[in-house]
Amino acid sequence: MKHSTNQQTRRGRGPARRIGRTLALVLPVVLVLSGTLAVTRVNWSGNPANSVLTASDATLSDAKAPAARTPQDVLRDQLLTELQERNPGVALTHLQEAVNGRPSLAKHCVSIARALGRAAVRVYGPTRAQSYARPVCDTSFATGVAAAHS
């Protein structure tokens, strides 16, 4: 007596099984390679000059016009120039007047005063710079002097 054997089960389940096995081997390789390529295109240096633009970024590069400077940046630059030309006391007085005149600058007063303190240490040295300290913006000028000195 002959037993009937199904030829299909002996060879596997046909072309679907072969395609499945191929995908099981090829798909992880493709995913790893595509992930590796994506990571190599990321600008890890933080330097925008080294960044790579893709085709989707081309529209963004046209829209990136030089941004207008914020009022706090303009004020900081003016006060740093004043600190070098005159002295830190005058710059701190003008910082306080600017904050009183434009209350929206109050939230930036601390960072501006610290920047003035660090610049004063570079220009006048730590001892002389500390002599100009006054309670403008919660003594942030003195904090900037101390941070630059240590």
Side-chain angles (χ1 to χ4, degrees), residues 5-65:
T5 58
N6 188 350
Q7 294 288 344
Q8 200 171 17
T9 56
R10 203 180 306 160
R11 285 187 294 161
R13 301 198 198 252
R17 185 162 183 111
R18 273 184 269 131
I19 292 172
R21 284 184 179 176
T22 303
L23 281 175
L25 292 173
V26 173
L27 192 59
V29 173
V30 169
L31 290 174
V32 167
L33 287 177
S34 65
T36 303
L37 292 174
V39 169
T40 59
R41 293 187 60 86
V42 173
N43 179 12
W44 295 104
S45 69
N47 185 358
N50 295 337
S51 65
V52 177
L53 289 176
T54 59
S56 63
D57 293 336
T59 58
L60 293 176
S61 64
D62 295 339
K64 290 181 185 176

Side-chain angles (χ1 to χ4, degrees), residues 93-134:
T93 300
H94 289 153
L95 172 61
Q96 188 65 54
E97 290 171 354
V99 171
N100 290 344
R102 286 184 73 181
S104 63
L105 291 172
K107 61 184 171 189
H108 304 288
C109 186
V110 170
S111 65
I112 293 171
R114 283 188 186 148
L116 289 172
R118 289 189 296 267
V121 169
R122 286 191 301 271
V123 174
Y124 297 99
T127 305
R128 189 165 172 211
Q130 187 63 40
S131 70
Y132 289 104
R134 60 178 71 162

